[in-house]
């Protein structure tokens, strides 16, 4: 349990820093390059998510296989054979798909993007750099998953902190002293993607022993084909559902408007991004406990994890939902922009709460190795929700897309994922929902709602201090509402006091 706490802490600290530094630098990017150029950055993020669908479930399967290896179910040779095969697959797909983006850069610029001031030649160069980064980051993601599967969270997050600093902060020196052109931004990021790939590969190969004389074999995928296929289906379904609105909006609205929309989704994405490292840290341990048939420990870890996740969601999403305009103003310093997109931020943040809770329930299926129920539910959702996303985005723009995201995630959680939990852990669902989820979320939200009722008019720094105080208050109230959170906080306090003694 101590190693799990360290893993969770390292993963959360690294991710908070990476997300925080990236989010904090966005206003500086807009200052140097302009809102239209930031729209291109938002387009790249959407494109990257679409191409991640071709992962074919290999990365999550690798995490599970390494967890099984650590539990003694797999040999070192079997794991390395899978890794070598995955490397070949990803390298080929990266070259083909990244090259395709480079070849079609002119068509993307002329027929899809709605540019206003950026020259087509500059935009085409940026799209070409996007293609290069897509291929490189794809393979980097494989080695990142390997480090997660080996539970080397401290090492991985030290690496991520360094890369995030170079990616998000050092680039400002390029924009300030070399060139503030958007082409300079993307060229710098492409060069960094090469360094990231080499570094992550080096770290992973030094973490897992052996592998020197083992070559690839497609037969390595055979034992995990069913699981990997299910994970691939889920990645494709949820990737399409999450990114269809962004892809459509990048075509139907101007790049400047898409830049503002991207601001709202980046801010709301902090909810999902901060929840993800926590579930990632739990994932290998849940698989380990399931493989060891330690059902009581599995249920206990799941309930504790739920309350911690609900607390994270309550603190982060609550600020976006109840104080969204203040969050955006403190972040960007642009009150007009904050007022225009605060509603989008609230809707996407609320939708991400349901998405994160559904993802946690899914971890139970992932740990058991049987994700069939989640695939069936996701397919049904895609059939009903997919066309609605297209219609709402085409006819009602960003607001329509945001409402659809919230409604779809809420319906899926209540109509399907609660039934899944009941099937996986009979007799737990009511207590889990009311005591582990609702009680903690309501505590955080009530504190934010009370503060939002009488929000004073403050300057940017005053607003930032007010938000910090609101987050502390919401975190304290939400923590008191969690039956597992209270003793966990008390134990953490005692450990800290012993360390200071």
């Amino acid at each position: 349990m101590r190693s799990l706490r360290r893993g969770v802490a390292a993963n959360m600290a690294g991710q908070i820093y990476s997300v925080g530094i990236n989010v904090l630098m966005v206003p500086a990017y807009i200052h140097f390059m302009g809102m239209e150029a930031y729209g291109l950055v938002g387009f790249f993020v959407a494109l990257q998510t679409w191409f991640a669908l071709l992962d074919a479930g290999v990365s999550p399967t690798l995490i599970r296989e390494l967890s099984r290896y650590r539990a003694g179910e797999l040999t070192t040779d079997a794991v390395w054979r899978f890794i070598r095969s995955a490397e070949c697959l990803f390298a080929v797909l990266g070259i083909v798909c990244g090259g395709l983006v480079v070849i079609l850069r002119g068509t993307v610029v002329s027929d899809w993007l709605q540019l206003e001031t950026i020259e087509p030649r500059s935009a085409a160069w940026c799209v070409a750099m996007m293609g290069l980064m897509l291929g490189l980051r794809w393979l980097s993601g494989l080695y990142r998953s390997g480090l997660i599967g080996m539970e080397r969270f401290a090492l991985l997050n030290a690496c991520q902190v360094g890369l995030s600093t170079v990616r998000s902060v050092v680039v400002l020196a390029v924009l300030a002293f070399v060139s503030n052109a958007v082409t300079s931004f993307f060229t710098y990021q492409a060069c960094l993607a090469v360094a990231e790939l080499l570094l992550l590969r080096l770290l992973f190969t030094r973490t897992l022993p052996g592998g020197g004389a083992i070559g690839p074999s497609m037969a390595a995928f055979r034992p995990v084909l069913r699981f990997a296929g299910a994970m691939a289906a889920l990645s494709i379904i949820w990737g399409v559902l999450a990114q269809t609105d962004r892809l459509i909006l990048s075509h139907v609205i101007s790049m400047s408007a898409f830049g503002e929309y991207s601001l709202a989704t980046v801010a709301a994405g902090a909810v999902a991004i901060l929840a993800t490292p926590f579930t990632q840290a739990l994932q290998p341990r849940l698989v380990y406990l399931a493989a060891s048939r330690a059902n009581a420990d599995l249920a206990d870890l799941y309930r504790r994890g739920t309350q911690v996740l609900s607390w994270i969601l309550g603190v982060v999403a609550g600020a976006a939902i109840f104080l969204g305009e203040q969050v955006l103003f403190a972040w960007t310093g642009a009150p007009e922009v904050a007022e225009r997109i605060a509603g989008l931020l609230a809707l996407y943040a609320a939708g991400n709460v349901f998405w994160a809770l559904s993802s946690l329930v899914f971890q139970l299926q992932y740990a058991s190795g049987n994700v069939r129920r989640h695939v069936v539910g996701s397919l049904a959702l895609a059939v009903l929700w997919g066309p609605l996303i297209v219609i709402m985005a085409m006819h009602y723009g960003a607001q329509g897309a945001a409402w659809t995201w919230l409604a779809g995630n809420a319906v899926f959680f209540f109509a399907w994922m609660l039934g899944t939990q009941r099937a996986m852990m009979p007799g737990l669902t009511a207590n889990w929902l009311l005591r582990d989820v609702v009680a903690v979320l309501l505590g955080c939200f009530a504190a934010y709602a009370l503060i939002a009722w009488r929000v004073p008019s403050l300057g940017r720094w005053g607003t930032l201090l007010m938000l910090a105080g609101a987050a502390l208050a919401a975190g304290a109230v939400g923590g008191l509402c969690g039956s597992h959170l209270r003793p966990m906080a008390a134990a953490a306090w005692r450990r800290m006091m012993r360390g200071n003694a």
Side-chain angles (χ1 to χ4, degrees):
M1 186 59 70
R2 183 176 299 174
S3 64
L4 177 63
R5 285 197 299 265
R6 286 198 299 265
V8 170
N11 220 29
M12 289 298 298
Q15 196 71 17
I16 288 171
Y17 176 84
S18 298
V19 173
I21 200 68
N22 182 55
V23 169
L24 288 174
M25 293 301 108
V26 168
Y29 300 156
I30 295 172
H31 170 74
F32 283 112
M33 299 188 297
M35 187 64 77
E36 186 178 22
Y38 185 70
L40 278 178
V41 177
F43 175 70
F44 169 65
V45 172
L47 198 63
Q48 185 173 247
T49 306
W50 274 93
F51 273 77
L53 305 182
L54 298 176
D55 177 279
V58 174
S59 293
T61 303
L62 175 60
I63 295 174
R64 188 169 188 276
E65 293 302 283
L66 287 170
S67 298
R68 293 178 63 210
Y69 159 74
R70 291 173 48 255
E73 290 193 359
L74 293 177
T75 65
T76 304
D77 287 355
V79 170
W80 267 113
R81 191 165 290 109
F82 181 88
I83 293 166
R84 295 303 187 204
S85 305
E87 285 176 330
C88 290
L89 175 65
F90 276 35
V92 171
L93 288 175
I95 292 171
V96 171
C97 297
L100 192 62
V101 172
V102 174
I103 293 170
L104 297 176
R105 62 189 183 280
T107 303
V108 171
V109 170
S110 61
D111 295 347
W112 189 264
L113 301 179
Q114 305 298 317
L115 300 175
E116 296 172 318
T117 60
I118 298 176
E119 292 184 2
R121 180 177 296 181
S122 297
W125 174 263
C126 294
V127 174
M129 292 298 99
M130 293 178 196
L132 175 60
M133 284 189 284
L134 288 171
L136 294 170
R137 288 186 179 179
W138 210 348
L139 199 52
S140 297
L142 179 70
Y143 299 124
R144 187 178 293 108
S145 297
L147 290 169
I148 292 171
M150 294 297 291
E151 294 195 21
R152 297 301 302 272
F153 298 113
L155 177 64
L156 175 60
N157 284 285
C159 173
Q160 290 298 103
V161 164
L163 288 169
S164 296
T165 302
V166 177
R167 182 184 297 121
S168 301
V169 180
V170 179
V171 69
L172 293 180
V174 176
L175 296 176
F177 301 111
V178 179
S179 170
N180 66 344
V182 67
T183 51
S184 300
F185 177 86
F186 278 101
T187 302
Y188 174 88
Q189 298 296 342
C191 293
L192 183 58
V194 177
E196 179 181 18
L197 171 60
L198 296 175
L199 177 60
L200 287 173
R201 187 180 190 281
L202 175 65
L203 294 177
F204 177 66
T205 53
R206 289 191 173 185
T207 297
L208 185 64
I214 298 175
S217 171
M218 294 309 292
F221 292 125
R222 234 175 257 136
V224 296
L225 194 59
R226 184 173 179 179
F227 181 80
M231 293 303 299
L234 289 172
S235 296
I236 291 171
I237 292 167
W238 281 98
V240 169
L241 291 175
Q243 296 300 322
T244 295
D245 55 347
R246 292 159 174 78
L247 194 63
I248 292 172
L249 290 172
S250 71
H251 178 60
V252 300
I253 63 178
S254 69
M255 273 291 104
S256 296
F258 188 71
E260 290 190 359
Y261 166 81
S262 298
L263 279 177
T265 56
V266 165
V271 177
I273 291 172
L274 291 175
T276 298
F278 180 75
T279 56
Q280 280 181 341
L282 285 181
Q283 193 178 77
R285 187 55 56 94
L286 290 172
V287 173
Y288 181 88
L289 292 173
S292 303
R293 308 291 192 271
N295 295 332
D297 291 339
L298 178 68
D300 180 66
L301 177 61
Y302 177 67
R303 291 202 64 183
R304 289 173 181 270
T306 298
Q307 289 200 12
V308 174
L309 178 63
S310 298
W311 182 81
I312 294 170
L313 295 174
V315 173
V316 180
I321 293 169
F322 293 96
L323 299 168
E325 186 173 342
Q326 288 75 23
V327 169
L328 290 166
F329 171 60
W331 177 33
T332 65
E336 299 85 2
V337 173
E339 185 178 2
R340 282 198 298 270
I341 64 176
L344 290 177
L345 171 58
L347 293 171
Y348 273 107
N352 285 341
V353 169
F354 290 109
W355 174 87
L357 290 171
S358 295
S359 297
L360 183 62
V361 177
F362 166 70
Q363 297 304 324
L364 290 177
Q365 299 172 77
Y366 179 93
S368 71
N370 183 5
V371 296
R372 180 179 177 275
R373 184 181 177 91
H374 199 66
V375 173
V376 172
S378 298
L379 281 172
L381 179 68
V383 171
L384 299 173
W385 192 17
L388 186 61
I389 292 175
V390 176
I391 294 169
M392 294 295 284
M394 290 290 290
H395 294 283
Y396 299 99
Q399 286 288 337
W403 277 108
T404 308
W405 176 251
L406 170 57
N409 278 289
V411 169
F412 185 67
F413 174 73
F414 286 111
W416 190 262
M417 295 310 292
L418 288 185
T420 298
Q421 155 127 333
R422 192 177 298 111
M424 299 293 295
M425 289 187 169
L428 181 65
T429 302
N431 274 334
W432 177 84
L433 180 62
L434 295 176
R435 298 183 63 185
D436 300 339
V437 178
V438 174
V440 179
L441 284 178
L442 278 182
C444 294
F445 288 172
Y448 276 123
L450 186 62
I451 294 168
W453 183 46
R454 298 291 296 271
V455 178
S457 179
L458 300 168
R460 189 177 182 184
W461 289 107
T463 300
L464 184 61
L465 290 174
M466 182 272 294
L467 290 171
L472 288 173
V477 175
L480 290 173
C481 293
S483 57
H484 289 292
L485 293 177
R486 293 191 298 272
M488 289 168 66
W493 176 261
R494 286 194 297 270
R495 285 194 301 270
M496 186 175 67
M497 290 296 101
R498 284 198 299 268
N500 292 333

